[in-house]
Every structure is written in C-alpha cells, then in structure tokens.
Amino acid sequence: MGYDYNGKRINPRQKTIHPPEELTPRQVEKWLNEQAVLFERDCRHTPQPVQQLTLAKYIDLWLTDIAPGKLAKSTIRRDRQDIERILPALGHYKLTELRPEHFRNFYAELRKVIRPDTKKPLSEYTIEGVHATLCSILSDAVEGGFLSHNPAWRTYRYAGRKCEKKIADEETAQRIIAALEGESIKYETYFKLIIATGMRRGECCGLKWCDIDWEQRSIHICRNAVKVTDEDTLNCKVEIRFLIIFNVLLGSGEINHSGSGENRQF
C-alpha cells in the first residue's frame, strides 16, 4: 500500500462486511467474491491521504528508501543535480497541489538561468533531463499510493529546433586513427576499439584480458566502469553481448596480451 508522509509503511486495509440474510449459500459465496474484487479495486485506485506531504519531503523519502533499490549510484548522483534545481522552485508544494502549470512555469524559468561557468543559458538537454527526473520521482509516488496520477506527465515541450548529432565520416575517422599512431599504446588501443566496435566508454574501460577470446576473435562485454564522486566502481548491469574483433586490430598489434594476469583491466 506504500508509505505515509512520515515514511512509515501503511498497514494493509481491512473491511468487515455482512451478506444479506435472504441469500442462499451459493449466492453468498458469489456476493462475497464480488465484494472482495470491489474492495481490492478501491484499495488500488484510491491513494492514501497525504495532504501534508510536500514534494521536498517526498524527495527525501525517495532518495533514502526508494531510489537506492531501483537506480545505479551514478544515476542517483545525476538526479541529485536535477533535484538541486527542483527543490527551490517546487519543493514547498504539497504533492496533491501540484498542477501541470507549475511545471510549465518552472521550465520557462529554467530557460532564463545563466550558467556561471559558460555565461550561457541552460541547454535544452539539461531542462529535458530535469523533466525526466521529475517524472520518474512522481511516477514512484503514484506507484506508492501518494498520488492518483503523475501531474508532470506531458508538461514538457522541447523549445527550438533539435540539432542532429554530428557523426564522424570515414575521412574524419581515418584522420583520428592516423593521429593516434603517435600516442601511447593505452590511448591508441582505447580509441581504436571504440571506433571499430562502437562500444561505450564505460564498457571499454571495464574490459579485462579474460574477456577476449583470441581463438574466436571476440570480446565479451559483461561490465561497465563508472565513476561516482571519487569512487571508481565496476557495474555488471550492462547488456551482455559479444563483439567480433576486426582483423586490423589483431594484425597491427593494437591488442596484445601481456600475460600479466587474466583478470587485469587494460
């Protein structure tokens, strides 16, 4: 049934009913089953009264009890950055008082904020990320019975025109590869692996020698290296897959097994 505004789990709800006396035993059984279905439906769709619970207070509860069990540390760290922008503007509102116009006005004000480091307004990507964090938090509030619906749903609209991602063409990729020839073997291997396979940065940093099958010429991707504050961690929650090592990587010596430990990262 979720949690109350003090963060305590709400006890299961109970209801005592008495069937009409004129019903036969078979009719009583049917009547009781119908009442059980109606009561369960009422419990699922009627949120518990949390009139005094503010968004700020719920976010505290979400950060301590809900987010750690659902999100990676790196995701929570990124969400905290968005929460720092959310709380001053919306934290004082009670959950049940939040309306779509509150979020639209909030996003409009964010577009006026100037970043102190770049002296430019916040990017639309940043504002879109704040909206995603709000939607995620309030969706959990709906799931926990604090709200009947998500008030932030469909309140964000991208401002301006979306720019297409710039992707290096073959000529640019060849220039990058040529420039890597003069770098250390570590960086040369790292960037050439990414260019050749398309793996993510964290996946490449998390590779170990034991992940390479030299006979099958394949790489087993099974972990992701992430950095949370000053702590480096290996996260195994990745899409496990195999990638074929191109002959050009093996033949030119970019990947060389030093033999100094099957589990050593390279």
Side-chain angles (χ1 to χ4, degrees), residues 144-189:
F146 294 99
L147 292 170
S148 59
H149 68 285
N150 189 336
W153 181 251
R154 294 183 178 178
T155 58
Y156 170 81
R157 179 174 294 180
Y158 193 93
R161 297 177 58 184
K162 288 191 174 183
C163 299
E164 294 185 3
K165 292 183 178 180
K166 295 182 179 180
I167 301 176
D169 55 19
E170 184 176 353
E171 180 182 354
T172 304
Q174 292 297 332
R175 290 170 58 189
I176 295 174
I177 292 174
L180 289 170
E181 299 293 339
E183 300 297 327
S184 68
I185 187 65
K186 179 174 66 173
Y187 295 112
E188 183 181 357
T189 303

Short mmCIF file of all heavy atoms in Angstrom, two decimals, residues 144-189:
data_model
loop_
_atom_site.label_atom_id
_atom_site.label_comp_id
_atom_site.label_asym_id
_atom_site.label_seq_id
_atom_site.Cartn_x
_atom_site.Cartn_y
_atom_site.Cartn_z
N GLY A 144 3.52 4.26 -5.19
CA GLY A 144 3.45 4.09 -3.74
C GLY A 144 2.13 4.50 -3.13
O GLY A 144 1.96 4.38 -1.92
N GLY A 145 1.19 5.00 -3.94
CA GLY A 145 -0.12 5.37 -3.42
C GLY A 145 -0.21 6.79 -2.91
O GLY A 145 -1.21 7.16 -2.31
N PHE A 146 0.80 7.62 -3.17
CA PHE A 146 0.76 9.00 -2.73
C PHE A 146 -0.07 9.88 -3.66
O PHE A 146 -0.61 10.90 -3.25
CB PHE A 146 2.18 9.57 -2.64
CG PHE A 146 3.03 8.92 -1.58
CD1 PHE A 146 3.95 7.94 -1.91
CD2 PHE A 146 2.92 9.29 -0.25
CE1 PHE A 146 4.73 7.34 -0.95
CE2 PHE A 146 3.70 8.71 0.72
CZ PHE A 146 4.61 7.72 0.38
N LEU A 147 -0.12 9.49 -4.93
CA LEU A 147 -0.86 10.25 -5.94
C LEU A 147 -1.68 9.29 -6.79
O LEU A 147 -1.35 8.11 -6.91
CB LEU A 147 0.11 11.02 -6.85
CG LEU A 147 0.90 12.19 -6.24
CD1 LEU A 147 1.98 12.66 -7.20
CD2 LEU A 147 -0.04 13.33 -5.88
N SER A 148 -2.73 9.82 -7.38
CA SER A 148 -3.56 9.00 -8.27
C SER A 148 -3.08 9.09 -9.72
O SER A 148 -3.40 8.23 -10.54
CB SER A 148 -5.02 9.47 -8.20
OG SER A 148 -5.14 10.83 -8.56
N HIS A 149 -2.30 10.12 -10.06
CA HIS A 149 -1.75 10.28 -11.39
C HIS A 149 -0.49 11.14 -11.31
O HIS A 149 -0.23 11.77 -10.28
CB HIS A 149 -2.78 10.94 -12.33
CG HIS A 149 -3.05 12.38 -11.99
ND1 HIS A 149 -3.83 12.75 -10.90
CD2 HIS A 149 -2.62 13.54 -12.55
CE1 HIS A 149 -3.88 14.07 -10.83
NE2 HIS A 149 -3.16 14.56 -11.81
N ASN A 150 0.28 11.14 -12.39
CA ASN A 150 1.52 11.91 -12.44
C ASN A 150 1.23 13.30 -13.00
O ASN A 150 0.97 13.45 -14.20
CB ASN A 150 2.55 11.19 -13.31
CG ASN A 150 3.93 11.82 -13.21
OD1 ASN A 150 4.08 12.98 -12.88
ND2 ASN A 150 4.96 11.03 -13.51
N PRO A 151 1.30 14.35 -12.19
CA PRO A 151 0.96 15.70 -12.67
C PRO A 151 1.99 16.28 -13.63
O PRO A 151 1.70 17.26 -14.32
CB PRO A 151 0.89 16.52 -11.38
CG PRO A 151 1.78 15.81 -10.42
CD PRO A 151 1.66 14.36 -10.75
N ALA A 152 3.19 15.72 -13.68
CA ALA A 152 4.22 16.24 -14.58
C ALA A 152 4.15 15.63 -15.97
O ALA A 152 4.88 16.05 -16.87
CB ALA A 152 5.62 15.99 -13.98
N TRP A 153 3.27 14.67 -16.15
CA TRP A 153 3.19 13.96 -17.42
C TRP A 153 2.79 14.91 -18.55
O TRP A 153 1.83 15.66 -18.46
CB TRP A 153 2.18 12.83 -17.29
CG TRP A 153 2.01 11.99 -18.52
CD1 TRP A 153 0.94 11.95 -19.36
CD2 TRP A 153 2.96 11.05 -19.04
NE1 TRP A 153 1.15 11.05 -20.36
CE2 TRP A 153 2.38 10.48 -20.20
CE3 TRP A 153 4.23 10.64 -18.65
CZ2 TRP A 153 3.05 9.52 -20.96
CZ3 TRP A 153 4.88 9.69 -19.41
CH2 TRP A 153 4.29 9.14 -20.54
N ARG A 154 3.56 14.91 -19.62
CA ARG A 154 3.30 15.71 -20.82
C ARG A 154 3.28 17.22 -20.55
O ARG A 154 2.53 17.95 -21.19
CB ARG A 154 1.98 15.29 -21.47
CG ARG A 154 2.02 13.87 -22.04
CD ARG A 154 0.73 13.52 -22.74
NE ARG A 154 0.80 12.19 -23.31
CZ ARG A 154 -0.21 11.58 -23.97
NH1 ARG A 154 -1.36 12.23 -24.11
NH2 ARG A 154 -0.07 10.37 -24.46
N THR A 155 4.09 17.68 -19.63
CA THR A 155 4.15 19.12 -19.36
C THR A 155 5.37 19.76 -20.00
O THR A 155 5.50 20.98 -19.96
CB THR A 155 4.19 19.39 -17.84
OG1 THR A 155 5.33 18.72 -17.27
CG2 THR A 155 2.92 18.89 -17.17
N TYR A 156 6.27 18.95 -20.56
CA TYR A 156 7.48 19.50 -21.18
C TYR A 156 7.37 19.45 -22.69
O TYR A 156 6.92 18.46 -23.26
CB TYR A 156 8.71 18.70 -20.73
CG TYR A 156 9.96 19.05 -21.50
CD1 TYR A 156 10.70 20.19 -21.18
CD2 TYR A 156 10.38 18.27 -22.57
CE1 TYR A 156 11.83 20.52 -21.90
CE2 TYR A 156 11.51 18.59 -23.29
CZ TYR A 156 12.23 19.72 -22.95
OH TYR A 156 13.35 20.04 -23.67
N ARG A 157 7.78 20.53 -23.32
CA ARG A 157 7.85 20.58 -24.78
C ARG A 157 9.18 21.19 -25.16
O ARG A 157 9.56 22.25 -24.68
CB ARG A 157 6.70 21.42 -25.35
CG ARG A 157 6.73 21.54 -26.88
CD ARG A 157 5.50 22.24 -27.41
NE ARG A 157 4.30 21.46 -27.16
CZ ARG A 157 3.08 21.84 -27.52
NH1 ARG A 157 2.91 23.01 -28.11
NH2 ARG A 157 2.04 21.07 -27.28
N TYR A 158 9.88 20.51 -26.05
CA TYR A 158 11.21 20.95 -26.47
C TYR A 158 11.11 22.32 -27.12
O TYR A 158 10.27 22.56 -27.99
CB TYR A 158 11.82 19.94 -27.44
CG TYR A 158 13.30 20.14 -27.68
CD1 TYR A 158 14.23 19.45 -26.92
CD2 TYR A 158 13.76 21.01 -28.67
CE1 TYR A 158 15.59 19.62 -27.13
CE2 TYR A 158 15.11 21.18 -28.88
CZ TYR A 158 16.02 20.48 -28.12
OH TYR A 158 17.36 20.65 -28.32
N ALA A 159 11.96 23.24 -26.67
CA ALA A 159 11.97 24.60 -27.22
C ALA A 159 13.04 24.71 -28.30
O ALA A 159 14.18 24.29 -28.10
CB ALA A 159 12.24 25.62 -26.11
N GLY A 160 12.67 25.28 -29.43
CA GLY A 160 13.63 25.43 -30.52
C GLY A 160 13.69 24.20 -31.40
O GLY A 160 12.83 23.31 -31.33
N ARG A 161 14.72 24.12 -32.19
CA ARG A 161 14.90 23.00 -33.12
C ARG A 161 15.98 22.07 -32.59
O ARG A 161 17.03 22.51 -32.13
CB ARG A 161 15.30 23.52 -34.50
CG ARG A 161 14.25 24.40 -35.16
CD ARG A 161 14.74 24.93 -36.49
NE ARG A 161 15.09 23.84 -37.39
CZ ARG A 161 15.64 24.01 -38.60
NH1 ARG A 161 15.91 25.24 -39.02
NH2 ARG A 161 15.91 22.97 -39.37
N LYS A 162 15.71 20.77 -32.68
CA LYS A 162 16.70 19.80 -32.26
C LYS A 162 17.80 19.70 -33.31
O LYS A 162 17.53 19.60 -34.51
CB LYS A 162 16.06 18.43 -32.05
CG LYS A 162 15.18 18.34 -30.81
CD LYS A 162 14.81 16.92 -30.51
CE LYS A 162 14.05 16.82 -29.20
NZ LYS A 162 13.72 15.42 -28.82
N CYS A 163 19.03 19.73 -32.84
CA CYS A 163 20.18 19.64 -33.74
C CYS A 163 20.55 18.17 -33.96
O CYS A 163 20.52 17.37 -33.02
CB CYS A 163 21.38 20.39 -33.16
SG CYS A 163 21.09 22.16 -32.91
N GLU A 164 20.86 17.85 -35.18
CA GLU A 164 21.28 16.49 -35.47
C GLU A 164 22.66 16.24 -34.88
O GLU A 164 23.52 17.13 -34.86
CB GLU A 164 21.31 16.27 -36.99
CG GLU A 164 19.94 16.32 -37.65
CD GLU A 164 20.02 15.96 -39.11
OE1 GLU A 164 21.14 15.63 -39.58
OE2 GLU A 164 18.97 16.02 -39.79
N LYS A 165 22.85 15.01 -34.41
CA LYS A 165 24.15 14.66 -33.85
C LYS A 165 25.20 14.62 -34.95
O LYS A 165 24.96 14.13 -36.06
CB LYS A 165 24.08 13.30 -33.16
CG LYS A 165 23.23 13.29 -31.91
CD LYS A 165 23.28 11.92 -31.24
CE LYS A 165 22.47 11.93 -29.96
NZ LYS A 165 22.51 10.61 -29.27
N LYS A 166 26.36 15.17 -34.64
CA LYS A 166 27.46 15.17 -35.59
C LYS A 166 28.20 13.84 -35.49
O LYS A 166 28.73 13.50 -34.43
CB LYS A 166 28.40 16.34 -35.32
CG LYS A 166 27.75 17.70 -35.55
CD LYS A 166 28.75 18.83 -35.31
CE LYS A 166 28.11 20.19 -35.55
NZ LYS A 166 29.07 21.30 -35.32
N ILE A 167 28.23 13.10 -36.57
CA ILE A 167 28.88 11.80 -36.61
C ILE A 167 30.04 11.87 -37.59
O ILE A 167 29.89 12.36 -38.71
CB ILE A 167 27.89 10.70 -37.03
CG1 ILE A 167 26.70 10.66 -36.04
CG2 ILE A 167 28.57 9.34 -37.09
CD1 ILE A 167 25.63 9.69 -36.42
N ALA A 168 31.17 11.39 -37.14
CA ALA A 168 32.37 11.45 -37.99
C ALA A 168 32.19 10.59 -39.24
O ALA A 168 31.74 9.45 -39.16
CB ALA A 168 33.59 11.00 -37.19
N ASP A 169 32.56 11.15 -40.39
CA ASP A 169 32.52 10.36 -41.62
C ASP A 169 33.80 9.53 -41.71
O ASP A 169 34.67 9.58 -40.84
CB ASP A 169 32.35 11.27 -42.83
CG ASP A 169 33.41 12.36 -42.91
OD1 ASP A 169 34.46 12.21 -42.25
OD2 ASP A 169 33.18 13.37 -43.60
N GLU A 170 33.92 8.76 -42.78
CA GLU A 170 35.06 7.86 -42.91
C GLU A 170 36.38 8.63 -42.97
O GLU A 170 37.38 8.21 -42.38
CB GLU A 170 34.90 7.00 -44.17
CG GLU A 170 35.99 5.97 -44.34
CD GLU A 170 35.76 5.07 -45.54
OE1 GLU A 170 34.67 5.18 -46.14
OE2 GLU A 170 36.67 4.28 -45.85
N GLU A 171 36.37 9.78 -43.67
CA GLU A 171 37.61 10.56 -43.78
C GLU A 171 38.06 11.07 -42.42
O GLU A 171 39.24 11.00 -42.07
CB GLU A 171 37.38 11.74 -44.73
CG GLU A 171 38.62 12.61 -44.92
CD GLU A 171 38.35 13.80 -45.82
OE1 GLU A 171 37.23 13.88 -46.38
OE2 GLU A 171 39.25 14.66 -45.96
N THR A 172 37.09 11.57 -41.61
CA THR A 172 37.44 12.07 -40.28
C THR A 172 37.93 10.94 -39.39
O THR A 172 38.89 11.11 -38.62
CB THR A 172 36.21 12.74 -39.64
OG1 THR A 172 35.73 13.78 -40.50
CG2 THR A 172 36.56 13.33 -38.28
N ALA A 173 37.29 9.77 -39.49
CA ALA A 173 37.72 8.62 -38.68
C ALA A 173 39.14 8.21 -39.03
O ALA A 173 39.95 7.88 -38.13
CB ALA A 173 36.76 7.45 -38.90
N GLN A 174 39.49 8.25 -40.32
CA GLN A 174 40.85 7.89 -40.72
C GLN A 174 41.86 8.90 -40.19
O GLN A 174 42.98 8.54 -39.81
CB GLN A 174 40.93 7.82 -42.25
CG GLN A 174 40.15 6.66 -42.86
CD GLN A 174 40.69 5.31 -42.41
OE1 GLN A 174 41.87 5.16 -42.09
NE2 GLN A 174 39.81 4.31 -42.38
N ARG A 175 41.49 10.18 -40.15
CA ARG A 175 42.39 11.20 -39.61
C ARG A 175 42.61 10.99 -38.11
O ARG A 175 43.72 11.19 -37.60
CB ARG A 175 41.81 12.58 -39.87
CG ARG A 175 41.83 13.00 -41.34
CD ARG A 175 41.02 14.25 -41.58
NE ARG A 175 41.51 15.37 -40.77
CZ ARG A 175 40.87 16.53 -40.66
NH1 ARG A 175 39.71 16.71 -41.29
NH2 ARG A 175 41.40 17.49 -39.93
N ILE A 176 41.53 10.60 -37.40
CA ILE A 176 41.66 10.32 -35.96
C ILE A 176 42.59 9.13 -35.73
O ILE A 176 43.47 9.16 -34.86
CB ILE A 176 40.28 10.07 -35.34
CG1 ILE A 176 39.41 11.34 -35.40
CG2 ILE A 176 40.41 9.59 -33.89
CD1 ILE A 176 37.98 11.13 -34.94
N ILE A 177 42.40 8.09 -36.53
CA ILE A 177 43.23 6.89 -36.40
C ILE A 177 44.69 7.22 -36.67
O ILE A 177 45.60 6.76 -35.97
CB ILE A 177 42.72 5.79 -37.35
CG1 ILE A 177 41.35 5.29 -36.88
CG2 ILE A 177 43.71 4.63 -37.40
CD1 ILE A 177 40.69 4.30 -37.83
N ALA A 178 44.92 8.04 -37.70
CA ALA A 178 46.30 8.43 -38.03
C ALA A 178 46.93 9.24 -36.90
O ALA A 178 48.11 9.07 -36.58
CB ALA A 178 46.33 9.22 -39.34
N ALA A 179 46.14 10.11 -36.26
CA ALA A 179 46.65 10.92 -35.16
C ALA A 179 46.97 10.08 -33.94
O ALA A 179 47.86 10.42 -33.16
CB ALA A 179 45.63 12.00 -34.80
N LEU A 180 46.28 8.94 -33.78
CA LEU A 180 46.51 8.08 -32.63
C LEU A 180 47.82 7.31 -32.73
O LEU A 180 48.31 6.79 -31.72
CB LEU A 180 45.35 7.08 -32.49
CG LEU A 180 44.00 7.66 -32.04
CD1 LEU A 180 42.90 6.62 -32.19
CD2 LEU A 180 44.08 8.14 -30.60
N GLU A 181 48.40 7.23 -33.93
CA GLU A 181 49.63 6.47 -34.10
C GLU A 181 50.76 7.01 -33.24
O GLU A 181 51.65 6.29 -32.83
CB GLU A 181 50.05 6.49 -35.57
CG GLU A 181 49.04 5.86 -36.53
CD GLU A 181 48.90 4.36 -36.31
OE1 GLU A 181 49.82 3.76 -35.73
OE2 GLU A 181 47.86 3.80 -36.71
N GLY A 182 50.73 8.31 -32.95
CA GLY A 182 51.80 8.89 -32.17
C GLY A 182 51.53 8.92 -30.68
O GLY A 182 52.36 9.44 -29.91
N GLU A 183 50.39 8.38 -30.24
CA GLU A 183 50.04 8.39 -28.82
C GLU A 183 50.49 7.09 -28.16
O GLU A 183 50.95 6.15 -28.82
CB GLU A 183 48.53 8.58 -28.65
CG GLU A 183 48.00 9.87 -29.24
CD GLU A 183 48.57 11.10 -28.57
OE1 GLU A 183 48.85 11.04 -27.35
OE2 GLU A 183 48.77 12.12 -29.26
N SER A 184 50.31 7.03 -26.83
CA SER A 184 50.69 5.81 -26.09
C SER A 184 49.79 4.66 -26.50
O SER A 184 48.66 4.85 -26.97
CB SER A 184 50.58 6.05 -24.59
OG SER A 184 49.22 6.21 -24.21
N ILE A 185 50.28 3.45 -26.31
CA ILE A 185 49.53 2.25 -26.70
C ILE A 185 48.20 2.16 -25.97
O ILE A 185 47.21 1.65 -26.50
CB ILE A 185 50.39 0.98 -26.47
CG1 ILE A 185 49.69 -0.26 -27.04
CG2 ILE A 185 50.69 0.81 -24.99
CD1 ILE A 185 49.54 -0.23 -28.53
N LYS A 186 48.16 2.68 -24.74
CA LYS A 186 46.92 2.62 -23.95
C LYS A 186 45.81 3.41 -24.62
O LYS A 186 44.71 2.90 -24.84
CB LYS A 186 47.17 3.13 -22.53
CG LYS A 186 45.91 3.12 -21.67
CD LYS A 186 46.23 3.50 -20.22
CE LYS A 186 46.71 4.93 -20.11
NZ LYS A 186 46.86 5.34 -18.68
N TYR A 187 46.08 4.67 -24.95
CA TYR A 187 45.06 5.50 -25.55
C TYR A 187 44.78 5.10 -27.00
O TYR A 187 43.65 5.21 -27.48
CB TYR A 187 45.48 6.97 -25.48
CG TYR A 187 45.58 7.48 -24.07
CD1 TYR A 187 46.80 7.81 -23.51
CD2 TYR A 187 44.42 7.61 -23.28
CE1 TYR A 187 46.89 8.26 -22.19
CE2 TYR A 187 44.50 8.06 -21.97
CZ TYR A 187 45.74 8.38 -21.43
OH TYR A 187 45.81 8.82 -20.13
N GLU A 188 45.81 4.65 -27.68
CA GLU A 188 45.63 4.20 -29.07
C GLU A 188 44.67 3.00 -29.10
O GLU A 188 43.74 2.95 -29.91
CB GLU A 188 46.97 3.82 -29.68
CG GLU A 188 46.88 3.40 -31.14
CD GLU A 188 48.24 3.00 -31.70
OE1 GLU A 188 49.24 3.11 -30.97
OE2 GLU A 188 48.27 2.56 -32.87
N THR A 189 44.89 2.04 -28.19
CA THR A 189 44.02 0.87 -28.12
C THR A 189 42.60 1.25 -27.74
O THR A 189 41.63 0.77 -28.34
CB THR A 189 44.57 -0.14 -27.10
OG1 THR A 189 45.90 -0.49 -27.47
CG2 THR A 189 43.71 -1.39 -27.06
#
